[in-house]
Amino acid sequence: MNRKKIFAVTFIFIFLTILDFNVLAWDNQVTHRDLSEYAAENSVIGKNKGDYLKNFGFNNALDDSLTWGGNTQKIRNWIRDGADFEDAGNYGDMATGRGRSYNHFHNPLKQYPWTDAGLDDWIALPPFHTTGESSIIWAQDSVTQSASVGGDWSWQNVRALYYYALTAQTETDRQMYFANTFDGLGHQMHLIQDASQPDHVRNDITTISNNLNEV
Ligand SMILES: [Zn+2]
C-alpha cells in the first residue's frame, strides 16, 4: 500500500470515527446496567466468586428470582434496573429540582463537608443553571432523595431494606424487601460508576447535557 492509500484509509477511518457516537465508551442505555451486572457477577454475591447469596437460600445466586410490585425477575435484573433508574427524571423534573442526575457529581478538589463539591455549571443553550448535591452527600441524603423522582434510595434506606428482608415474617415481604435491597444496591453502584467518568468529577455538565439520560 503506497503512502497515498495509507493516508486515504487513515483519513476515512478518523472521519467515520468522529461521526459515530458509538465510539463513546459511555452509552447510557446499557453502560450502567452492564457494569452493575458485571460487578455483581464478579463480587462475593456472584455464583463463582463466593456464592454469598447461598447463605440466604438463593442457591442460584444472581439467577434466583424475586417478586415485587407484580414484577418477577432475576436478582441480576433488580440490580440492573436500580442502576438504570438512578438517572430517573425528565426535563420537567430537572427544571424543578426533582431529577436525580444533577446530584451525581463530586469535585474531589473541594474540601469536606463538600457543600460546594456538587454540580454548579451552566448549559449554554438555552442558558440554564444546573446545580446539585455532591454525589457523596446525595448517596446518604434520605431527605433530598425522598423529595426527588424515584424516592429514597440512600445508603441508609437500602441498609434498612436489607434488615427488613432478613427479618421478614412472610415470603411475600421477604421477596419484596430483597428485591428492594438489590434495586437499591444498583442505585448506589450507579453513583460509584459515575465517579469514574471525568465530567462527573470536574463540575462539567456541557458534554453530557446533549443527552439528559447520560447524567
Ligand atoms: Zn448518573
Side-chain angles (χ1 to χ4, degrees):
M1 197 181 288
N2 62 35
R3 292 178 67 177
K4 275 187 178 176
K5 281 184 179 171
I6 292 174
F7 177 78
V9 168
T10 304
F11 179 80
I12 291 170
F13 175 78
I14 293 173
F15 186 70
L16 291 176
T17 302
I18 291 171
L19 287 182
D20 189 350
F21 281 97
N22 287 329
V23 300
L24 298 174
W26 202 265
D27 178 341
N28 67 297
Q29 302 296 322
V30 297
T31 306
H32 281 299
R33 286 178 166 275
D34 286 356
L35 270 180
S36 301
E37 182 178 3
Y38 183 84
E41 195 80 73
N42 287 280
S43 74
V44 292
I45 63 173
K47 185 73 177 169
N48 301 314
K49 301 285 182 175
D51 205 12
Y52 189 77
L53 297 181
K54 192 169 63 179
N55 296 316
F56 309 129
F58 299 123
N59 293 323
N60 300 305
L62 298 169
D63 287 321
D64 270 6
S65 291
L66 293 167
T67 299
W68 172 42
N71 187 12
T72 301
Q73 60 181 356
K74 293 178 178 177
I75 290 172
R76 67 177 67 244
N77 289 321
W78 286 113
I79 295 173
R80 288 174 66 93
D81 278 358
D84 192 14
F85 297 160
E86 179 53 35
D87 270 338
N90 57 29
Y91 284 102
D93 297 320
M94 307 313 288
T96 55
R98 293 189 69 248
R100 307 182 71 85
S101 53
Y102 288 169
N103 301 292
H104 292 180
F105 293 71
H106 179 79
N107 182 347
L109 299 179
K110 301 290 184 179
Q111 300 298 312
Y112 182 80
W114 303 314
T115 48
D116 58 348
L119 178 66
D120 184 1
D121 195 19
W122 284 84
I123 294 174
L125 291 173
F128 183 66
H129 191 202
T130 57
T131 59
E133 284 189 314
S134 154
S135 61
I136 296 175
I137 295 174
W138 164 261
Q140 305 170 73
D141 187 349
S142 284
V143 175
T144 307
Q145 290 212 23
S146 295
S148 303
V149 62
D152 183 10
W153 295 101
S154 64
W155 174 248
Q156 290 87 338
N157 190 40
V158 176
R159 213 170 46 177
L161 292 164
Y162 181 34
Y163 173 77
Y164 298 149
L166 294 174
T167 56
Q169 299 297 306
T170 68
E171 180 58 19
T172 302
D173 281 357
R174 180 178 171 277
Q175 293 213 14
M176 174 179 71
Y177 286 125
F178 264 123
N180 274 259
T181 299
F182 292 117
D183 197 314
L185 187 61
H187 277 263
Q188 290 286 322
M189 291 164 82
H190 176 123
L191 300 174
I192 296 169
Q193 293 159 14
D194 273 356
S196 72
Q197 200 267 358
D199 292 350
H200 290 84
V201 290
R202 59 162 85 124
N203 189 31
D204 185 359
I205 193 68
T206 51
T207 311
I208 49 187
S209 65
N210 296 324
N211 184 341
L212 183 65
N213 289 328
E214 283 188 25
V215 292

